[in-house]
Amino acid sequence: MMAINRQYIIAIIFILNTLLSYGQISRTKLPDKIIPLDSTVRFGKLDNGFTYYLKYNDHPKGEVVMKMIVKAGRFHEDEDQTEYAHLLEHVAVQDVEKYRDLVTVLKLNGIDHRAFTSRLATRYILHIPNSNQEKLNLGLTVLKQWAGSILIDSSRLDMHRGSILGELRSTDAYRDDLYNREGEIILRNTGFPPGDRNKSTENIKNLDINRLKDFYHDWYRPDLQAAIVVGSFNLDSLEKIIQNKFSKLTMPSNMRNTSKAIEKFDYQLTGENQYETIKDTLNTNWRLDIFSKRINYNFRYRSEEDYYTRILQNLYEYIITKRKTEYKRQYQPPFSKYSTRYATNGLASDQISLGLMSVELDQNPSSIEEKIFEAVRADKIMHSNITLQELQEAQDKLESKLVNADPNSIDLAQEYENHFIYQNAAPSDSIRKDLTKLIKKVSRSEVQEFADVRRDLLRDSDFIFINVSKIFIPEKHKIERIIKKVYGSPIPNYQSPLKKIYSIEDVTPINEKLKVQVAKNVVGVTTIRLGNNIKVLLKPTTPQTSDFKNRIELLGFQPIRFNGNVKFYNSQILSHNYASVAGTGWHNHFQIEQFKRDHDMLMHFGTDQSNYLIEGKFDRENLHEFFNLLFQYIKKPEEDPQAFNFWKKTIRERISPYSVKGGSGFFHDQIEKIWNPKFPSLDENALNEISQKDLMQAYKKHFSNFDEYTFIITGDFKTSELIEEIAPYFYGLPVSGRHEGEKIEKWSTRLEKRSDTLYYKGIEQSFSELYLPVKIEPTIKNQVILDLVNTAFYERLVKVLRLDCYAPGAGGKWINLNERLYTFKIKFNSERGNESNMFSNSMKEIDNLKKAGVDDDWLESHVKYAKRRFTAQINSFGYFNFWPYFLKKHLEEGSDYQDYILKYPGILENFISLDEVNEAIDNYITKEHLQNFLVLPE
């Protein structure tokens, strides 16, 4: 009876909640009939309950996506099995009965893999870019192994357990702690269970292998599994293989019910607001985070009516996000953060759409109510008076996104996955096109009504004050009174505070008599030498997909010089950085950033250890806009005091104790300083010392001299056409010819054996980086051999480090070819106190590798893989572009990159013996100059 009553209450709450969420929205009446599954999908369910979805799709050409979906996740775990669903996923990716090292098998066959675990399901994914029958057969075999042949081997569980513990540890403890504390408050009145990292950690540490096996046998069963295959293949043939392979799976004798897991997945929005205060010991600023909880209609849709509401939400989000972006792009906005989709990485498994508005309170108790009033007023302005023009723009954007006559295989596979797990719609192309037509049927009044309901902060909203003492926090009735006052006041029509720019003024100097020398080499790199001592290299390559067609990348670098004057050096570095954060005399920072987003353009001014850098990406059609913008930065920086203060605040946040500490990059500057003790480093003192007048003087002086600059241009273009267009720009860059100081010498102590400990706030674990530098003759053959040694080093070290770390790293790279300096590197994070054990395991594994080496089978398979990877890198580009930094490194060192490119494949395939590789492993991996950097919590 109790269970029935509870389910009845949940149902009533859900119905009421749905009505509340819709408010008085008068939607177009549409049929609530379930949208049928695409009839061109081969959908079947075998006698044992196993499900399959097969769909022929040739976009992209030759690609196949395979998935094994198991409807078993974290909510299926018993109390003593917490985190076992996730652990089993890690076991499956590595260990199946047929392949004891599945990751390597997939890698060497050019098959990418992914896996992840959610509350209700575990997904295993294979992506085959260039499929053939052999790879298809391998992929299907792997899906079958994941379905019923996962190997739970007690001798290997320590590795998987350590990997899980490493993943559970926070790499950015400060941000995760704040996120989790706010998340617990947000979920408190929803009935949705929050995660418990401490419980997960303890359960994995005290792993019970029998209970892990119980989870596997209970839930990895054919009636909860589906194979999804989308791509280029013969449907009839593949269906027969699927039926034959998976019909042999058997059901367990005792069938566990899934209803408890599904019941946990329910949530409620009761209309209740929450008011809390929490402490932040690192960022001590006073602030208020306002979270609004709403149903996420994008999570699930089954009928036309569902789809229509989904369209409403998407149109609303586009309009409000656009307004928010414009509203926030001013130097003193009424809110510091604003999002209609905050925490989309998993609050209630994305069933809740969470809005966030953060308000800075300035440590002033008397202004708190005024700050709240201004923020709520801005929120209402952004939600009010939606125009027909805004709606039409949003409709056009959404239509262009959804109208896809040729959907790609990844998106289709995702639809079938959601159909299997959540019973979502997976329509045919024709039905999809009909549903898309609903976009134009949405009226302005419907979107306005949807916005009015969404922005109502008097219900389902949480007010979390940070660092504000309770005595200063307005009482609940006062906050509600402020909100009601705003809602009852007349609101002006929304007007963007940002004056949009549609093109960049032409400020490029005209120079008709250009002294240009052009030379093309055998690897397709064209070098232009200009009369002003600027050099330009052009290397066209083929885009990997249509997304990169006509895409161009630019990398410029100029040596940093140091004349012994630290203040002068700091001013030059800071002035170069200012260009990335400020605007120009023509347009402010926010206008330029919006322009770059609208034109899919990137321009960044930065530094590495020894160079000023200018990095850019743009489409071919926007070439002139890109260079005109570059000249705006050079000629006239933004001198508004607000821009200067905004820049200082931005830099201060980057170097603050609460800055982002994900991965390990946050402490590299300190390691660089140890390697280069004479290298001046920037800190808050240097930032505080510089005035706006000093910065502007340094800026104009710095950008008046492009002497020694080299620009590398790569991407999809014809060199002869591009030279004619870009030469006037580069020739017009100012060059003074002065050289103040010497080039910075880097890596000055790289062969000095050492052990250093660094301390940081905001972390809760240790980070380690180990370097094993060695002197090696940089012949091309040695470089080829070292690439193979590097791979062996990576494979062996990562395996042993995964005993205690989720994502360790290992590998080797040239530090300086001229100085014959190469280093192997190991990096890992660790539970505090366990780093010495991991260090010891690393050293032992190095000894084992040096002693055992590699065998003929390993060498043969890895030579094939290395050649395939090298060919792909030099001949095409996508998200990764091989050429810019490859050319930069060789140009800096004056080495012959042509010889390397031409000889690498032949040497790799024909002139590398097993003895040479093993001899290199033994000789080159040496601990003689070991450098150990340990990072601990302060």
Side-chain angles (χ1 to χ4, degrees):
M1 179 66 70
M2 291 297 291
I4 293 172
N5 286 340
R6 183 176 185 277
Q7 289 177 356
Y8 176 78
I9 291 168
I10 289 173
I12 293 297
I13 291 173
F14 180 78
I15 292 168
L16 290 172
N17 175 53
T18 302
L19 292 173
L20 280 169
S21 297
Y22 282 130
Q24 299 299 314
I25 296 173
S26 53
R27 294 171 298 146
T28 299
K29 185 62 180 173
L30 292 166
D32 198 20
K33 187 173 65 175
I34 298 297
I35 297 171
L37 176 65
D38 179 4
S39 60
T40 64
V41 174
R42 291 287 178 91
F43 172 77
K45 186 169 285 193
L46 305 180
D47 291 342
N48 58 7
F50 187 87
T51 304
Y52 61 85
Y53 299 78
L54 310 177
K55 168 76 172 179
Y56 179 85
N57 187 61
D58 201 24
H59 177 66
K61 190 174 180 63
E63 178 180 280
V64 173
V65 177
M66 295 183 168
K67 293 189 177 187
M68 169 55 59
I69 310 299
V70 185
K71 284 199 279 192
R74 290 186 172 92
F75 281 178
H76 292 79
E77 298 164 341
D78 292 335
E79 191 71 19
D80 63 345
Q81 292 175 319
T82 301
E83 206 62 32
Y84 282 12
H86 186 195
L87 175 60
L88 186 60
E89 170 224 308
H90 276 242
V91 172
V93 168
Q94 293 276 350
D95 304 332
V96 292
E97 290 178 4
K98 190 173 180 64
Y99 308 108
R100 294 302 299 270
D101 189 358
L102 179 57
V103 170
T104 301
V105 170
L106 293 173
K107 172 186 170 182
L108 294 177
N109 282 276
I111 300 177
D112 300 324
H113 75 281
R114 287 181 61 214
F116 58 97
T117 305
S118 64
R119 271 95 170 189
L120 290 185
T122 304
R123 295 114 166 130
Y124 301 96
I125 306 163
L126 298 176
H127 176 237
I128 310 174
N130 300 295
S131 66
N132 56 35
Q133 193 58 49
E134 183 180 357
K135 291 181 181 181
L136 277 175
N137 291 339
L138 173 59
L140 291 171
T141 300
V142 172
L143 295 191
K144 170 63 165 41
Q145 293 286 298
W146 280 332
S149 301
I150 298 173
L151 189 61
I152 302 176
D153 183 343
S154 59
S155 68
R156 293 170 63 85
L157 276 181
D158 278 347
M159 176 182 73
H160 302 304
R161 176 165 58 181
S163 178
I164 292 289
L165 291 172
E167 190 172 354
L168 288 171
R169 287 194 303 271
S170 171
T171 56
D172 194 337
Y174 163 73
R175 291 179 183 277
D176 283 355
D177 176 66
L178 203 60
Y179 175 84
N180 290 333
R181 282 192 285 158
E182 289 190 322
E184 288 173 7
I185 295 170
I186 292 164
L187 286 177
R188 186 186 296 160
N189 63 352
T190 67
F192 195 90
D196 187 340
R197 182 180 289 180
N198 291 332
K199 185 176 181 181
S200 294
T201 299
E202 287 305 309
N203 218 43
I204 292 296
K205 284 182 176 179
N206 302 305
L207 174 63
D208 183 336
I209 188 172
N210 292 319
R211 294 297 286 140
L212 178 64
K213 289 179 177 178
D214 288 343
F215 182 89
Y216 177 44
H217 292 305
D218 285 341
W219 302 113
Y220 275 58
R221 63 193 205 211
D223 67 315
L224 298 178
Q225 294 176 326
I228 299 170
V229 187
V230 183
S232 305
F233 50 79
N234 183 286
L235 277 171
D236 294 331
S237 172
L238 197 72
E239 185 173 31
K240 288 177 183 177
I241 296 172
I242 291 276
Q243 291 170 342
N244 181 54
K245 276 184 178 291
F246 294 95
S247 62
K248 298 172 185 176
L249 297 171
T250 58
M251 293 286 286
S253 53
N254 296 318
M255 296 273 289
R256 292 197 60 180
N257 196 315
T258 62
S259 60
K260 286 186 177 180
I262 296 170
E263 186 178 300
K264 286 183 189 177
F265 204 66
D266 280 336
Y267 73 96
Q268 305 90 43
L269 295 179
T270 62
E272 174 194 1
N273 282 9
Q274 299 183 100
Y275 303 85
E276 294 285 347
T277 179
I278 61 176
K279 196 76 175 171
D280 181 351
T281 57
L282 287 187
N283 182 356
T284 57
N285 294 336
W286 291 11
R287 53 201 190 275
L288 166 63
D289 285 346
I290 305 174
F291 295 97
S292 53
K293 294 176 285 197
R294 307 290 183 257
I295 293 175
N296 179 15
Y297 296 106
N298 278 316
F299 176 75
R300 178 178 289 144
Y301 79 97
R302 296 170 180 171
S303 65
E304 283 191 31
E305 186 176 23
D306 294 338
Y307 196 85
Y308 195 80
T309 311
R310 192 179 183 218
I311 289 171
L312 269 174
Q313 178 174 317
N314 278 277
L315 294 172
Y316 156 80
E317 288 179 348
Y318 177 85
I319 293 168
I320 302 304
T321 299
K322 184 172 182 291
R323 284 184 169 191
K324 174 268 301 188
T325 301
E326 295 171 348
Y327 214 90
K328 191 171 180 294
R329 302 208 175 279
Q330 48 186 311
Y331 287 117
Q332 293 181 322
F335 43 77
S336 56
K337 295 178 185 174
Y338 192 102
S339 175
T340 59
R341 289 189 185 183
Y342 180 74
T344 53
N345 60 335
L347 190 77
S349 289
D350 283 348
Q351 296 180 94
I352 294 175
S353 176
L354 191 66
L356 165 66
M357 180 166 60
S358 292
V359 186
E360 298 293 330
L361 300 177
D362 298 338
Q363 263 90 338
N364 184 358
S366 64
S367 68
I368 289 178
E369 292 186 25
E370 181 184 349
K371 291 280 187 181
I372 294 174
F373 179 90
E374 290 302 323
V376 175
R377 185 174 185 274
D379 184 51
K380 186 180 178 184
I381 289 173
M382 288 192 300
H383 280 79
S384 302
N385 302 311
I386 291 173
T387 67
L388 187 60
Q389 182 180 347
E390 287 177 307
L391 172 60
Q392 289 171 346
E393 179 183 324
Q395 288 172 322
D396 290 342
K397 290 285 184 182
L398 184 59
E399 190 174 40
S400 66
K401 179 181 176 182
L402 296 180
V403 174
N404 190 353
D406 198 10
N408 66 52
S409 297
I410 292 175
D411 291 342
L412 288 172
Q414 183 66 51
E415 283 195 2
Y416 308 142
E417 174 188 315
N418 291 337
H419 183 272
F420 179 64
I421 300 172
Y422 304 116
Q423 295 76 55
N424 272 16
S428 65
D429 289 345
S430 60
I431 291 178
R432 193 193 317 274
K433 289 173 184 174
D434 287 340
L435 289 171
T436 303
K437 293 175 184 176
L438 295 174
I439 294 172
K440 294 295 187 182
K441 292 186 178 181
V442 176
S443 69
R444 189 200 64 81
S445 61
E446 286 177 299
V447 178
Q448 184 62 68
E449 288 172 7
F450 191 95
D452 291 342
V453 172
R454 284 274 161 156
R455 61 101 173 137
D456 184 3
L457 297 178
L458 291 170
R459 66 176 186 85
D460 290 317
S461 299
D462 300 328
F463 295 75
I464 303 177
F465 290 86
I466 303 173
N467 294 326
V468 185
S469 173
K470 287 186 178 181
I471 62 173
F472 298 133
I473 295 176
E475 296 177 3
K476 172 185 174 182
H477 73 274
K478 285 189 175 180
I479 295 176
E480 290 180 348
R481 189 171 64 205
I482 292 169
I483 296 171
K484 289 176 181 177
K485 182 179 178 181
V486 172
Y487 289 174
S489 303
I491 294 294
N493 288 340
Y494 170 80
Q495 285 188 337
S496 171
L498 185 71
K499 185 179 179 182
K500 191 168 182 177
I501 54 176
Y502 296 92
S503 63
I504 301 295
E505 294 88 337
D506 186 355
V507 294
T508 311
I510 299 173
N511 196 322
E512 297 178 358
K513 296 180 180 179
L514 305 182
K515 297 178 182 178
V516 179
Q517 296 178 359
V518 180
K520 183 177 180 179
N521 63 27
V522 293
V523 297
V525 177
T526 299
T527 300
I528 305 174
R529 296 183 184 275
L530 302 170
N532 57 1
N533 204 28
I534 291 175
K535 183 163 63 174
V536 183
L537 281 76
L538 299 97
K539 171 56 183 170
T541 48
T542 304
Q544 289 174 354
T545 67
S546 58
D547 293 334
F548 299 95
K549 188 173 178 59
N550 297 319
R551 195 72 175 156
I552 296 175
E553 297 187 21
L554 175 145
L555 171 63
F557 61 99
Q558 178 191 50
I560 297 173
R561 290 178 175 271
F562 181 48
N563 63 2
N565 185 329
V566 173
K567 187 174 181 179
F568 174 79
Y569 167 83
N570 285 341
S571 69
Q572 296 298 299
I573 297 291
L574 288 171
S575 65
H576 191 79
N577 174 281
Y578 186 73
S580 279
V581 180
T584 73
W586 286 268
H587 311 293
N588 70 32
H589 165 74
F590 303 111
Q591 289 176 301
I592 291 173
E593 289 302 302
Q594 184 62 50
F595 176 83
K596 288 192 288 189
R597 277 190 297 273
D598 290 343
H599 292 79
D600 195 15
M601 182 188 296
L602 179 147
M603 186 182 294
H604 177 72
F605 298 80
T607 57
D608 61 16
Q609 293 81 16
S610 55
N611 294 281
Y612 297 107
L613 302 176
I614 301 176
E615 298 171 280
K617 296 181 181 181
F618 53 92
D619 290 333
R620 178 72 172 79
E621 64 183 4
N622 293 324
L623 182 146
H624 296 287
E625 301 279 23
F626 177 87
F627 280 100
N628 283 333
L629 178 57
L630 176 62
F631 272 84
Q632 279 201 9
Y633 277 119
I634 293 167
K635 282 179 167 289
K636 192 175 180 182
E638 185 177 16
E639 300 191 43
D640 186 339
Q642 289 191 101
F644 176 73
N645 293 330
F646 173 78
W647 166 77
K648 267 199 170 183
K649 180 184 177 184
T650 303
I651 301 303
R652 192 168 280 118
E653 287 175 350
R654 287 180 189 170
I655 62 178
S656 70
Y658 52 86
S659 62
V660 175
K661 292 183 175 62
S664 61
F666 66 92
F667 56 83
H668 275 179
D669 284 348
Q670 288 299 312
I671 295 179
E672 294 290 347
K673 189 173 181 179
I674 291 170
W675 281 332
N676 301 276
K678 295 181 180 179
F679 190 94
S681 60
L682 290 171
D683 54 23
E684 190 161 354
N685 289 332
L687 189 62
N688 290 335
E689 284 178 4
I690 194 164
S691 67
Q692 184 174 12
K693 181 180 177 182
D694 292 339
L695 183 71
M696 291 300 102
Q697 287 177 347
Y699 188 104
K700 290 169 184 176
K701 186 173 184 179
H702 173 68
F703 284 109
S704 69
N705 187 17
F706 277 75
D707 190 30
E708 300 184 295
Y709 248 104
T710 298
F711 290 91
I712 298 167
I713 299 178
T714 58
D716 181 22
F717 56 82
K718 291 182 179 179
T719 301
S720 57
E721 294 177 359
L722 202 64
I723 290 175
E724 197 171 317
E725 291 189 69
I726 64 172
Y729 290 104
F730 289 115
Y731 206 92
L733 291 171
V735 174
S736 71
R738 68 178 185 275
H739 294 158
E740 299 191 33
E742 300 295 324
K743 294 180 183 179
I744 288 180
E745 183 182 354
K746 60 180 180 175
W747 317 119
S748 56
T749 61
R750 285 306 299 261
L751 279 177
E752 179 183 302
K753 188 171 184 177
R754 64 184 311 123
S755 179
D756 296 89
T757 303
L758 312 174
Y759 295 94
Y760 283 83
K761 294 179 181 179
I763 59 175
E764 64 180 12
Q765 60 180 317
S766 68
F767 296 83
S768 293
E769 289 204 358
L770 313 175
Y771 294 85
L772 294 83
V774 60
K775 291 275 190 177
I776 304 173
E777 283 297 326
T779 64
I780 295 175
K781 185 170 183 177
N782 275 348
Q783 292 182 57
V784 174
I785 290 173
L786 278 167
D787 282 353
L788 294 168
V789 174
N790 175 16
T791 302
F793 183 80
Y794 167 83
E795 291 179 353
R796 293 291 292 265
L797 268 297
V798 163
K799 282 180 183 177
V800 71
L801 288 170
R802 279 181 71 89
L803 287 167
D804 299 279
C805 178
Y806 168 61
K813 68 173 184 178
W814 285 98
I815 297 171
N816 193 307
L817 289 170
N818 290 335
E819 296 180 9
R820 303 179 293 116
L821 193 54
Y822 189 89
T823 189
F824 291 94
K825 173 185 174 182
I826 304 166
K827 68 173 184 176
F828 55 85
N829 52 26
S830 170
E831 185 176 7
R832 193 172 177 182
N834 190 44
E835 58 275 348
S836 59
N837 181 51
M838 295 181 71
F839 173 85
S840 177
N841 289 341
S842 299
M843 297 301 104
K844 288 176 184 176
E845 193 60 26
I846 287 173
D847 292 338
N848 293 337
L849 174 59
K850 287 165 69 73
K851 182 178 179 180
V854 297
D855 58 27
D856 282 313
D857 289 340
W858 185 96
L859 183 61
E860 182 181 358
S861 61
H862 282 75
V863 163
K864 289 180 182 177
Y865 173 74
K867 184 182 178 184
R868 184 170 66 242
R869 183 185 61 182
F870 179 80
T871 302
Q873 283 180 339
I874 66 172
N875 290 328
S876 63
F877 77 100
Y879 292 109
F880 170 76
N881 191 346
F882 166 83
W883 284 99
Y885 280 92
F886 168 79
L887 289 172
K888 175 180 176 290
K889 183 175 181 62
H890 284 270
L891 290 170
E892 283 184 280
E893 296 169 352
S895 54
D896 190 345
Y897 65 85
Q898 296 181 71
D899 211 28
Y900 176 89
I901 294 292
L902 293 171
K903 292 181 178 178
Y904 188 101
I907 292 174
L908 178 67
E909 200 166 27
N910 302 306
F911 296 101
I912 303 295
S913 70
L914 181 65
D915 288 342
E916 286 173 317
V917 174
N918 284 329
E919 186 178 338
I921 289 172
D922 191 36
N923 291 337
Y924 297 155
I925 304 176
T926 172
K927 307 173 193 173
E928 182 182 357
H929 305 294
L930 174 67
Q931 298 184 335
N932 182 9
F933 298 100
L934 173 63
V935 179
L936 295 174
E938 186 174 311

